[in-house]
Amino acid sequence: MIRLGSLVLPALLLALPACSRGDASTDASPLPVVSSRPAPAPRPAGPAELALVAPLAPGSTLDGFAVREIRAVQDGVLMLVCEKDRAVVRLSVALAVDDGPTPPAFAGRYAVFYSARGSDPADGERLAKALAAILEKHPDVPVPPGMTSFVPTPIPI
């Protein structure tokens, strides 16, 4: 014997997809697709990148800031993340070009840019120049694979 109440819930669940919030022809704004996957973590620097910035390594100090990360070249740029207290300065090393943005520091064929959060911009410029001084000590180190010129983009911090 089938009870009537036992059929109500399955029937409602089957009817639910047929329900609509309005006429589909007037709803011109589809819902955005949101990925539940987090962005992949940046890869740590390999031997080519570390050779260029030696003797810096994660955990070392650059002009009073701790080097938290040295990342592999991504989107043409080698990045170092430096911290001091709550201040974060990201240093980007790319190939210098004549028609690109003017960097705060040059080192031979390299341009050094920065972005700073919770820090005075003077800290970013000072760290960029300190990194450039290190890069100048390695003129014979090959350009890391994938490195290109700098193209400014917003950097999530």
Side-chain angles (χ1 to χ4, degrees), residues 123-147:
D123 288 335
E125 188 165 340
R126 191 180 76 249
L127 289 172
K129 289 178 180 179
L131 179 56
I134 290 172
L135 297 174
E136 287 177 346
K137 296 177 183 178
H138 305 291
D140 297 332
V141 171
V143 173
M147 185 175 280

Side-chain angles (χ1 to χ4, degrees), residues 4 12 20 32 44-45 83 97 99 106 108 118:
L4 184 60
L12 286 175
S20 171
E83 291 181 328
V97 292
D99 59 346
F106 284 101

Side-chain angles (χ1 to χ4, degrees), residues 36-110:
S36 62
R37 281 189 260 168
R43 292 179 306 129
E49 292 95 352
L50 293 175
L52 185 61
V53 299
L56 292 178
S60 61
T61 303
L62 178 65
D63 203 18
F65 276 69
V67 177
R68 183 179 77 198
E69 293 178 64
I70 302 176
R71 298 179 181 173
V73 171
Q74 182 178 354
D75 298 328
V77 177
L78 164 66
M79 183 178 294
L80 286 80
V81 180
C82 303
E83 291 181 328
K84 181 178 182 181
D85 301 322
R86 295 185 141 209
V88 177
V89 176
R90 295 173 187 259
L91 299 169
S92 300
V93 180
L95 295 176
V97 292
D98 292 335
D99 59 346
T102 304
F106 284 101
R109 58 185 157 196
Y110 300 104

